[in-house]
Amino acid sequence: MRRRPAGALLVLAASAVFAAPPDERRAIAYSSRSVFVLGSGVAGQLAPNTLAVVYGENLSNGVATRADVAPDPSVLPTVLPGTGVTVRVNGILAAIEYASPEAVVFVVPPELLPGAATVVLTRNGLLGPSVRVQLKESAPALLPLEEGWALARHAEAGEWCTQERPLLPGEEVILYGTGWGPTVRRPINLQPATRPNELRARESLRVLLDGIEVPESHVLYAGLSVGAAGAYEARVRLPVWTPPDPEIRLAVGQEVTPTGLRLRVGRLQAQPADERLRSTQ
């Protein structure tokens, strides 16, 4: 690769230096109405060990994702290179998954308890507003793969569920989400899950397809997603009556994920075109 002249590098460096101060002087802007569980539409309501997002202005010096800078860390970063952003919840530094000037995704520290909490974002030492949010025991959300479609994998093949490769009734799927609540073993802040860890309220979790509950026996696992922080997964065997592309929702106790996400499901050739089989086999 052709090397740049030293003078050109100095010009680039100088440009960066002189461009930085105006950005640093700009006030950080966000409010409790712009803090959400990732994948949820309810502002100001989070849960411990949850992927959360704060939207605003002048939040970060640049754009970075944790997956790019530290794809397999033993300890998750509290600041991403080139962004200058940290987030504290009740004074505890949170792991950062993504940062840009308009949005920052962080993990609510798992040791926190339900109740009122404060979120403060800092950029290069400049404090943003201290906003109040409510921590609930669970604030479940399903993560999207793209707008309107749930993030899901074929359990056996490990491939993402897409229009070209949909699920089929009777197949096992892995669903991904956040905010599903306490697990049997409490997660450790800034550390990804290293082994399966089931939900403590496992019996209260329900999966709904077009509003119809999947049999409890079809939910094979529900708990932390290994290798990630703040992420949960459920391994589910789809009933044979599963309709094409059903709306999917997940409930933990009385808390239910928002409407609007669908699951990519095709139709078995043997399945009647105009009849849904209500079988639990």
Side-chain angles (χ1 to χ4, degrees):
M1 185 176 71
R2 187 177 178 183
R3 295 174 60 86
R4 291 186 178 184
L9 293 177
L10 290 173
V11 169
L12 290 173
S15 298
V17 169
F18 288 117
D23 288 338
E24 291 180 359
R25 285 197 298 266
R26 291 179 185 149
I28 302 169
Y30 58 89
S31 72
S32 60
R33 296 187 300 276
S34 62
V35 182
F36 297 84
V37 170
L38 192 65
S40 167
V42 181
Q45 294 187 9
L46 309 179
N49 197 45
T50 296
L51 288 165
V53 58
V54 52
Y55 295 104
E57 298 177 358
N58 307 316
L59 305 182
S60 168
N61 291 332
V63 179
T65 64
R66 194 273 301 169
D68 290 337
V69 300
D72 189 23
S74 57
V75 178
L76 297 168
T78 58
V79 60
L80 300 179
T83 67
V85 175
T86 61
V87 176
R88 293 178 185 268
V89 185
N90 277 2
I92 301 174
L93 275 171
I96 305 294
E97 286 288 320
Y98 170 84
S100 77
E102 297 81 26
V104 174
V105 177
F106 62 96
V107 182
V108 180
E111 61 264 47
L112 296 174
L113 299 175
T118 59
V119 174
V120 180
L121 185 147
T122 303
R123 189 193 72 236
N124 291 352
L126 180 66
L127 284 173
S130 177
V131 299
R132 298 282 282 180
V133 298
Q134 187 69 24
L135 294 184
K136 307 173 72 174
E137 186 165 273
S138 65
L142 289 168
L143 298 179
L145 175 64
E146 54 186 307
E147 186 175 0
W149 298 97
L151 181 68
R153 285 186 190 271
H154 296 265
E156 296 300 328
E159 299 176 357
W160 295 114
C161 303
T162 63
Q163 185 175 6
E164 296 75 23
R165 182 79 163 84
L167 294 153
L168 291 175
E171 186 179 351
E172 290 182 11
V173 60
I174 298 177
L175 305 169
Y176 293 91
T178 192
W180 296 3
T183 50
V184 173
R185 299 181 303 279
R186 177 176 288 183
I188 299 174
N189 193 32
L190 307 182
Q191 293 188 18
T194 58
R195 53 178 172 161
N197 188 358
E198 286 203 306
L199 290 181
R200 190 188 304 163
R202 171 73 173 76
E203 70 287 346
S204 73
L205 181 136
R206 295 171 291 129
V207 177
L208 307 171
L209 300 175
D210 278 352
I212 301 171
E213 185 175 342
V214 170
E216 183 181 352
S217 61
H218 285 218
V219 181
L220 308 177
Y221 171 77
L224 296 185
S225 186
V226 175
Y232 294 72
E233 65 181 60
R235 183 165 180 150
V236 180
R237 186 169 71 253
L238 296 178
V240 296
W241 51 256
T242 302
D245 298 343
E247 181 184 62
I248 183 163
R249 301 183 74 187
L250 183 142
V252 180
Q254 300 302 311
E255 304 288 343
V256 187
T257 61
T259 61
L261 276 186
R262 307 192 80 80
L263 186 64
R264 295 277 192 191
V265 179
R267 188 187 298 276
L268 288 173
Q269 291 184 353
Q271 191 176 16
D274 299 316
E275 180 181 351
R276 183 181 304 179
L277 302 178
R278 301 299 185 183
S279 171
T280 59
Q281 298 178 355

